[in-house]
Amino acid sequence: MELTTVWFALIAVLWAGYFLLEGFDFGVGVLLPVLGRDNRERRLLINTIGPVWDGNEVWLIVAGGATFAAFPEWYATLFSGFFLPLLLILVALIIRGVAFEYRGKRDDDRWRRRWDWCIVAGSAVPAVLWGVAFGNIVRGVPLDASHEYVGGFFNLLNPYALLGGLTTLTLFTLHGAVFLALKTDGEMRSRAGRLAAALSWPALVVAAAFLLWTSVAYFDPSGLIIFAAAALSLIGAAVAARFRREGWAFIGTGLTLVLAVAGLFVTLFPNVMPALDPANSLTVDNASSTPYTLTVMTWVAVAFTPIVLAYQGWTYWVFRKRLTVERIPS
């Protein structure tokens, strides 16, 4: 297997890991005013992701760095053409991170409410825009012969991409509700479980619409098989949520997100950024770095990836216990 294909697959793995882990962070943020009825309950919800949310974002940083090093032309075209959406995502992530730190700096309800809404917006905006971005990548974007993006911002807001954004928002919100049911106990666990069961069916409808559109317009037999597996995982998650089996429901929503990313990347291959004119598309061959660069990157990844995975796994193990509102000081 060529190193260009290997790195394409590794970048897909990084995005799958990011959606799996950051997905429930976004869901918890979106649900903060829905499940958190007072300050103690909202602090409980934030504490469920407090030890891990910043570590989960490392997957995004590594995915961006790997794209820059392995496929510099893809990186350049993506970040220039999608500059405004990616800037909005970056600003939203910064605001969310600041809000986590600043909401408790003053003992004032209005101060906390303002930062709580920053957490909601900082979670919802990326949840939507990541779906819009990947929807456009699968659909194809206007590129010229030099692989430069020649469209505008509103070209990205097409119906297919917007449906992709709605799909990621609903899936992340469901993933977050299931995570909260798994991570909390007492009344909050029951409330999150009921909400997860209620959210599972709208998520199924939206995801099925996006899957159908993708299968009809961008048919790929290999991708279709993976998307079908993702649909089955989501159905399984809905059933598990209905019977309050939080562990199985979380496995189901997690598998759905991982398989959805895998299906999108399989549908793309060998393109990394399809153009509306196929002759101008960026592929794993014309967008890649030199073989020497890819070889050095491979050895670095082999050496350091197990260390990073072990550390992050240890973090989740240390903070594995359920949380209750009674443990939150008044």
Side-chain angles (χ1 to χ4, degrees), residues 11-23 56 59-60 258 261:
I11 290 171
V13 170
L14 290 170
W15 278 108
Y18 175 68
F19 277 21
L20 169 66
L21 299 176
E22 190 79 335
N56 294 341
W59 289 77
L60 173 63
V258 169
V261 173

Side-chain angles (χ1 to χ4, degrees), residues 53 116 119 149 185 189 246 254:
W53 70 266
D116 287 344
I119 293 174
Y149 180 77
D185 212 344
R189 177 184 180 183
E246 295 100 346

Side-chain angles (χ1 to χ4, degrees), residues 264-289:
L264 289 174
F265 273 80
V266 167
T267 301
L268 278 176
F269 188 81
N271 296 317
V272 294
M273 198 160 186
L276 296 179
D277 180 358
N280 297 334
S281 294
L282 283 167
T283 68
V284 293
D285 295 321
N286 64 21
S288 68
S289 295

Side-chain angles (χ1 to χ4, degrees), residues 202-226:
L204 273 170
V205 172
V206 174
F210 184 69
L211 171 61
L212 180 62
W213 195 335
T214 304
S215 302
V216 171
Y218 313 102
F219 178 76
D220 183 281
S222 300
L224 186 60
I225 293 172
I226 299 175

Side-chain angles (χ1 to χ4, degrees), residues 239-275:
V239 174
R242 173 68 178 80
F243 290 98
R244 306 295 171 84
R245 303 296 297 272
E246 295 100 346
W248 286 108
F250 187 76
I251 291 173
T253 54
L255 271 177
T256 299
L257 293 169
V258 169
L259 290 171
V261 173
L264 289 174
F265 273 80
V266 167
T267 301
L268 278 176
F269 188 81
N271 296 317
V272 294
M273 198 160 186

Side-chain angles (χ1 to χ4, degrees), residues 7 11 14-15 58-72 75 79 297:
W7 274 98
I11 290 171
L14 290 170
W15 278 108
V58 171
W59 289 77
L60 173 63
I61 298 170
V62 177
T67 304
F68 172 77
F71 301 100
Y75 180 92
F79 278 76
M297 288 176 59

Side-chain angles (χ1 to χ4, degrees), residues 41-270:
E41 291 187 347
R42 287 190 288 273
R43 286 166 60 195
L44 170 65
L45 298 180
I46 293 171
N47 285 355
T48 61
I49 59 174
V52 297
W53 70 266
D54 48 354
N56 294 341
E57 289 186 352
V58 171
W59 289 77
L60 173 63
I61 298 170
V62 177
T67 304
F68 172 77
F71 301 100
E73 189 133 3
W74 182 16
Y75 180 92
T77 302
L78 178 66
F79 278 76
S80 60
F82 290 23
F83 175 78
L84 185 54
L86 294 176
L87 177 63
L88 291 174
I89 290 173
L90 178 60
V91 170
L93 292 177
I94 291 172
I95 290 174
R96 187 181 68 139
V98 171
F100 283 140
E101 301 296 332
Y102 272 69
R103 73 176 303 277
K105 295 298 184 181
R106 288 172 56 182
D107 187 14
D108 180 74
D109 287 338
R110 291 206 310 174
W111 169 270
R112 284 191 289 261
R113 279 198 299 270
R114 288 169 183 168
W115 287 115
D116 287 344
W117 282 110
C118 287
I119 293 174
V120 175
S123 302
V125 169
V128 173
L129 290 182
W130 282 130
V132 171
F134 275 94
N136 276 289
I137 292 174
V138 172
R139 173 180 177 269
V141 294
L143 301 179
D144 61 17
S146 301
H147 303 142
E148 296 289 338
Y149 180 77
V150 293
F153 173 71
F154 291 101
N155 292 102
L156 303 176
L157 302 180
N158 54 80
Y160 176 75
L162 291 174
L163 180 59
L166 182 60
T167 302
T168 50
L169 176 63
T170 55
L171 288 178
F172 289 162
T173 305
L174 172 61
H175 195 41
V178 172
F179 173 79
L180 288 172
L182 183 66
K183 187 63 178 173
T184 59
D185 212 344
E187 172 61 23
M188 183 60 71
R189 177 184 180 183
S190 300
R191 207 184 304 161
R194 291 193 299 269
L195 182 60
L199 288 173
S200 59
W201 303 110
L204 273 170
V205 172
V206 174
F210 184 69
L211 171 61
L212 180 62
W213 195 335
T214 304
S215 302
V216 171
Y218 313 102
F219 178 76
D220 183 281
S222 300
L224 186 60
I225 293 172
I226 299 175
F227 282 135
L232 291 175
S233 297
L234 186 55
I235 293 171
V239 174
R242 173 68 178 80
F243 290 98
R244 306 295 171 84
R245 303 296 297 272
E246 295 100 346
W248 286 108
F250 187 76
I251 291 173
T253 54
L255 271 177
T256 299
L257 293 169
V258 169
L259 290 171
V261 173
L264 289 174
F265 273 80
V266 167
T267 301
L268 278 176
F269 188 81

